[in-house]
Short mmCIF file of all heavy atoms in Angstrom, two decimals:
data_model
loop_
_atom_site.label_atom_id
_atom_site.label_comp_id
_atom_site.label_asym_id
_atom_site.label_seq_id
_atom_site.Cartn_x
_atom_site.Cartn_y
_atom_site.Cartn_z
N ASP A 18 16.35 13.90 -19.82
CA ASP A 18 16.09 12.59 -20.45
C ASP A 18 15.21 11.71 -19.58
O ASP A 18 14.79 10.65 -20.02
CB ASP A 18 17.42 11.84 -20.68
CG ASP A 18 18.15 12.35 -21.89
OD1 ASP A 18 17.47 12.81 -22.83
OD2 ASP A 18 19.39 12.28 -21.92
N GLY A 31 30.16 -0.66 -21.76
CA GLY A 31 29.65 -1.95 -22.22
C GLY A 31 28.46 -2.46 -21.44
O GLY A 31 27.80 -3.40 -21.86
N ARG A 32 28.17 -1.85 -20.30
CA ARG A 32 27.05 -2.33 -19.50
C ARG A 32 25.80 -1.54 -19.85
O ARG A 32 25.79 -0.33 -19.74
CB ARG A 32 27.34 -2.14 -18.00
CG ARG A 32 28.53 -2.92 -17.50
CD ARG A 32 28.88 -2.42 -16.11
NE ARG A 32 29.94 -3.20 -15.52
CZ ARG A 32 31.23 -2.89 -15.62
NH1 ARG A 32 31.62 -1.84 -16.30
NH2 ARG A 32 32.13 -3.66 -15.03
N TRP A 37 15.78 5.24 -14.46
CA TRP A 37 14.43 5.78 -14.31
C TRP A 37 14.28 6.61 -13.06
O TRP A 37 14.92 6.37 -12.06
CB TRP A 37 13.38 4.67 -14.33
CG TRP A 37 13.47 3.65 -13.24
CD1 TRP A 37 14.39 2.66 -13.11
CD2 TRP A 37 12.58 3.52 -12.11
NE1 TRP A 37 14.12 1.92 -11.99
CE2 TRP A 37 13.02 2.41 -11.35
CE3 TRP A 37 11.45 4.22 -11.67
CZ2 TRP A 37 12.37 2.00 -10.19
CZ3 TRP A 37 10.80 3.80 -10.51
CH2 TRP A 37 11.27 2.69 -9.80
N TYR A 86 7.66 -8.81 -6.54
CA TYR A 86 6.54 -9.61 -7.05
C TYR A 86 6.99 -10.58 -8.14
O TYR A 86 7.65 -10.18 -9.09
CB TYR A 86 5.47 -8.67 -7.62
CG TYR A 86 4.17 -9.36 -7.96
CD1 TYR A 86 3.38 -9.93 -6.96
CD2 TYR A 86 3.73 -9.46 -9.27
CE1 TYR A 86 2.19 -10.56 -7.27
CE2 TYR A 86 2.53 -10.08 -9.59
CZ TYR A 86 1.76 -10.62 -8.57
OH TYR A 86 0.58 -11.23 -8.87
N PRO A 127 36.53 19.64 -11.96
CA PRO A 127 37.30 20.84 -11.60
C PRO A 127 36.66 22.06 -12.27
O PRO A 127 36.38 22.04 -13.46
CB PRO A 127 38.69 20.57 -12.18
CG PRO A 127 38.72 19.12 -12.51
CD PRO A 127 37.32 18.63 -12.65
N PRO A 140 22.80 15.93 -26.17
CA PRO A 140 23.83 14.90 -26.26
C PRO A 140 24.00 14.42 -27.69
O PRO A 140 23.05 14.40 -28.47
CB PRO A 140 23.29 13.78 -25.37
CG PRO A 140 21.86 14.08 -25.13
CD PRO A 140 21.63 15.53 -25.36
N LEU A 154 37.69 16.41 -30.01
CA LEU A 154 37.16 17.60 -29.33
C LEU A 154 38.31 18.56 -29.02
O LEU A 154 38.18 19.77 -29.18
CB LEU A 154 36.45 17.20 -28.03
CG LEU A 154 35.02 16.68 -28.18
CD1 LEU A 154 34.56 15.99 -26.89
CD2 LEU A 154 34.06 17.81 -28.53
N ILE A 191 28.79 12.50 -26.62
CA ILE A 191 29.36 13.77 -26.17
C ILE A 191 28.29 14.53 -25.41
O ILE A 191 27.17 14.72 -25.92
CB ILE A 191 29.83 14.63 -27.37
CG1 ILE A 191 30.77 13.84 -28.26
CG2 ILE A 191 30.46 15.92 -26.88
CD1 ILE A 191 31.12 14.55 -29.56
N ALA A 205 21.62 28.75 -28.88
CA ALA A 205 22.82 28.10 -28.37
C ALA A 205 22.75 26.59 -28.62
O ALA A 205 23.73 25.97 -29.04
CB ALA A 205 22.98 28.40 -26.88
N ARG A 207 21.03 24.97 -30.91
CA ARG A 207 21.14 24.68 -32.35
C ARG A 207 22.58 24.84 -32.81
O ARG A 207 23.08 24.02 -33.58
CB ARG A 207 20.23 25.62 -33.16
CG ARG A 207 18.77 25.44 -32.84
CD ARG A 207 18.03 24.80 -33.99
NE ARG A 207 16.62 24.65 -33.65
CZ ARG A 207 15.86 23.63 -34.06
NH1 ARG A 207 16.40 22.68 -34.82
NH2 ARG A 207 14.60 23.56 -33.75
N THR A 214 27.38 17.81 -34.66
CA THR A 214 26.97 16.92 -35.74
C THR A 214 28.10 16.79 -36.77
O THR A 214 28.43 15.70 -37.24
CB THR A 214 25.70 17.45 -36.44
OG1 THR A 214 24.68 17.60 -35.45
CG2 THR A 214 25.21 16.49 -37.50
N PRO A 259 19.41 -2.79 13.47
CA PRO A 259 18.99 -1.67 14.31
C PRO A 259 18.31 -0.59 13.47
O PRO A 259 18.72 -0.32 12.35
CB PRO A 259 20.32 -1.15 14.87
CG PRO A 259 21.35 -1.57 13.87
CD PRO A 259 20.83 -2.76 13.13
N ASP A 383 -3.02 0.73 -5.81
CA ASP A 383 -3.29 2.07 -6.30
C ASP A 383 -2.25 2.51 -7.32
O ASP A 383 -2.57 3.00 -8.39
CB ASP A 383 -3.25 3.02 -5.10
CG ASP A 383 -4.08 4.25 -5.34
OD1 ASP A 383 -5.31 4.13 -5.27
OD2 ASP A 383 -3.50 5.32 -5.60
N HIS A 392 -12.43 -1.51 2.65
CA HIS A 392 -13.46 -1.26 3.65
C HIS A 392 -12.80 -1.26 5.02
O HIS A 392 -12.13 -2.21 5.39
CB HIS A 392 -14.54 -2.35 3.60
CG HIS A 392 -15.29 -2.35 2.30
ND1 HIS A 392 -16.45 -1.66 2.12
CD2 HIS A 392 -15.00 -2.93 1.11
CE1 HIS A 392 -16.86 -1.82 0.87
NE2 HIS A 392 -16.01 -2.58 0.23
N GLU A 399 -12.97 8.89 15.39
CA GLU A 399 -11.65 9.30 15.90
C GLU A 399 -10.67 8.14 15.84
O GLU A 399 -9.48 8.31 16.01
CB GLU A 399 -11.71 9.76 17.37
CG GLU A 399 -12.76 10.79 17.72
CD GLU A 399 -14.15 10.19 17.83
OE1 GLU A 399 -14.38 9.40 18.75
OE2 GLU A 399 -15.01 10.49 16.97
N PRO A 421 -23.52 -0.77 14.23
CA PRO A 421 -23.92 -1.73 15.26
C PRO A 421 -23.49 -3.14 14.84
O PRO A 421 -23.45 -3.45 13.64
CB PRO A 421 -25.44 -1.61 15.31
CG PRO A 421 -25.83 -0.85 14.09
CD PRO A 421 -24.65 -0.09 13.61
N SER A 448 -10.30 -11.18 15.74
CA SER A 448 -10.66 -12.56 15.37
C SER A 448 -12.12 -12.67 14.94
O SER A 448 -12.44 -13.35 13.97
CB SER A 448 -10.44 -13.50 16.53
OG SER A 448 -9.18 -13.28 17.08
N PRO A 478 -7.98 -21.93 22.64
CA PRO A 478 -7.28 -22.70 23.68
C PRO A 478 -6.51 -23.85 23.03
O PRO A 478 -6.98 -24.47 22.08
CB PRO A 478 -8.42 -23.22 24.56
CG PRO A 478 -9.65 -23.13 23.72
CD PRO A 478 -9.43 -22.07 22.68
N ALA A 500 3.02 -34.96 26.74
CA ALA A 500 1.97 -33.98 27.00
C ALA A 500 2.59 -32.78 27.70
O ALA A 500 3.55 -32.92 28.47
CB ALA A 500 0.91 -34.62 27.90
N GLN A 521 2.52 -19.12 18.96
CA GLN A 521 1.14 -19.40 19.30
C GLN A 521 0.34 -19.80 18.06
O GLN A 521 -0.87 -19.72 18.03
CB GLN A 521 0.50 -18.22 20.01
CG GLN A 521 0.81 -16.88 19.37
CD GLN A 521 0.06 -15.76 20.02
OE1 GLN A 521 -1.16 -15.77 20.04
NE2 GLN A 521 0.77 -14.78 20.57
N ALA A 550 -5.09 -30.78 3.80
CA ALA A 550 -4.05 -31.37 2.95
C ALA A 550 -3.03 -32.14 3.78
O ALA A 550 -2.36 -33.05 3.29
CB ALA A 550 -3.36 -30.28 2.15
N ILE A 570 12.30 -32.09 8.21
CA ILE A 570 13.19 -31.11 8.86
C ILE A 570 14.50 -31.79 9.22
O ILE A 570 14.53 -33.00 9.46
CB ILE A 570 12.49 -30.49 10.09
CG1 ILE A 570 13.25 -29.26 10.61
CG2 ILE A 570 12.31 -31.52 11.18
CD1 ILE A 570 12.43 -28.43 11.57
#
Side-chain angles (χ1 to χ4, degrees):
Chain A
D18 281 330
R32 297 168 175 92
W37 62 286
Y86 190 65
L154 280 166
I191 306 172
R207 297 250 180 214
T214 303
D383 205 75
H392 296 268
E399 309 77 67
S448 312
Q521 45 175 300
I570 192 166

